[in-house]
Amino acid sequence: MTKYFFVAASQKFLTVEEPIEEILKERERNYKENNKEIDFWLLKNPSFLQTSQFKNLTAKIPSPPAAVLSTDKKFITFLKLRLEFVAVGEFECPNAEITDPFKV
């Protein structure tokens, strides 16, 4: 099983109001320079947010949602501190409700 961490907010907040694209491009550039495999993804309307374990969390996020998903907890902590107005969570996959963490 793989453990995933995420920040989630409305698509508008993550893709328009905040410079998340710039942050992700810089991180991608750094990973390429250091021959490191990408371990983060921006997902619009990810299906894992629709599961029962995140029911309370998604109730606080304006629709449609978006999330930055990663296997790097420190990166998600950085994003939470940088973006402030985002929800955070984690899950292991696969599990009974989430078989594909990238499904939208």
Side-chain angles (χ1 to χ4, degrees):
M1 269 207 229
T2 303
K3 192 164 205 171
Y4 292 94
F5 305 90
F6 67 88
V7 294
S10 72
Q11 280 186 32
K12 182 179 178 187
F13 181 77
L14 283 181
T15 62
V16 177
E17 295 174 10
E18 282 295 324
I20 193 74
E21 184 178 342
E22 182 181 321
I23 294 168
L24 297 178
K25 281 184 179 182
E26 173 60 26
R27 188 165 179 89
E28 183 178 2
R29 182 196 59 76
N30 178 273
Y31 273 38
K32 284 181 182 178
E33 287 177 2
N34 292 293
N35 295 317
K36 194 171 176 190
E37 191 174 325
I38 299 294
D39 62 358
F40 59 92
W41 306 268
L42 174 63
L43 304 171
K44 294 180 180 177
N45 204 18
S47 63
F48 71 82
L49 287 177
Q50 298 167 9
T51 61
S52 63
Q53 74 183 92
F54 298 121
K55 186 178 182 179
N56 292 335
L57 184 125
T58 17
K60 300 173 188 175
I61 301 172
S63 286
V68 176
L69 182 67
S70 180
T71 55
D72 183 348
K73 185 176 183 174
K74 288 181 182 179
F75 178 55
I76 296 303
T77 301
F78 162 78
L79 286 178
K80 169 62 177 150
L81 295 172
R82 169 68 177 78
L83 301 172
E84 289 185 54
F85 304 108
V86 293
V88 294
E90 62 184 66
F91 60 91
E92 287 188 347
C93 188
N95 65 45
E97 289 188 290
I98 306 169
T99 56
D100 180 359
F102 307 107
K103 186 177 176 187
V104 292

